[in-house]
C-alpha cells in the first residue's frame, strides 16, 4: 500500500509540473533539457554529461533539483538520484551547500 501511495504522489508531482502545451518542466529544465541529461543519470551504463546537458543544467534551479534527491519522483522518471546529485560537479557547477 505504501508503494502505491508513493507512486500516486509521484504521478501527482509530475502532473503539477506539466505546463500546458509547453510540456514537462522541472526546476527550470524543460523536457528537452532533462532528456539531454538523462543518459548521464540513468543506469545501468551512465555516460559523461554532454556539453548540451551541462549548458541546460547551468540554467536549472539546483536547490530545487536537490529537493528531489530522496523522493520517488526521480526513480519514477528513470533517473538514478545518486547519479543526478553528482551531475553538477561533473559539469563544473557548484551544487547547493545543503545538498
Amino acid at each position: 500500500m505504501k508503494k502505491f501511495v508513493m507512486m500516486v504522489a509521484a504521478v501527482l508531482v509530475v502532473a503539477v509540473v506539466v505546463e500546458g502545451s509547453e510540456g514537462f518542466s522541472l526546476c527550470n529544465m524543460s523536457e528537452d533539457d532533462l532528456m539531454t541529461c538523462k543518459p548521464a543519470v540513468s543506469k545501468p551504463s551512465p555516460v559523461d554529461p554532454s556539453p548540451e546537458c551541462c549548458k541546460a543544467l547551468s540554467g536549472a534551479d539546483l536547490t530545487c533539483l536537490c529537493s528531489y534527491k530522496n523522493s520517488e519522483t526521480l526513480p519514477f522518471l528513470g533517473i538514478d538520484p545518486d547519479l543526478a546529485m553528482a551531475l553538477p560537479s561533473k559539469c563544473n557547477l557548484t551544487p547547493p551547500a545543503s545538498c
Side-chain angles (χ1 to χ4, degrees):
M1 182 68 167
K2 183 178 178 183
K3 257 205 183 298
F4 174 76
V5 171
M6 294 302 290
M7 186 64 70
V8 169
V11 169
L12 289 174
V13 168
V14 170
V16 167
V17 295
V18 171
E19 296 178 1
S21 63
E22 292 179 23
F24 184 79
S25 177
L26 181 69
C27 302
N28 295 337
M29 291 186 78
S30 69
E31 182 177 6
D32 289 341
D33 293 339
L34 292 166
M35 294 309 292
T36 299
C37 291
K38 193 163 182 182
V41 294
S42 300
K43 287 185 176 181
S45 302
V47 298
D48 288 334
S50 67
E52 294 82 10
C53 169
C54 291
K55 181 178 179 187
L57 192 62
S58 71
D61 180 342
L62 297 181
T63 301
C64 173
L65 288 173
C66 184
S67 71
Y68 285 91
K69 73 180 179 181
N70 294 320
S71 80
E72 294 290 323
T73 303
L74 295 181
F76 177 76
L77 297 172
I79 297 170
D80 180 90
D82 294 328
L83 293 172
M85 294 307 117
L87 200 56
S89 296
K90 290 182 176 183
C91 288
N92 296 317
L93 299 171
T94 304
S98 61
C99 190

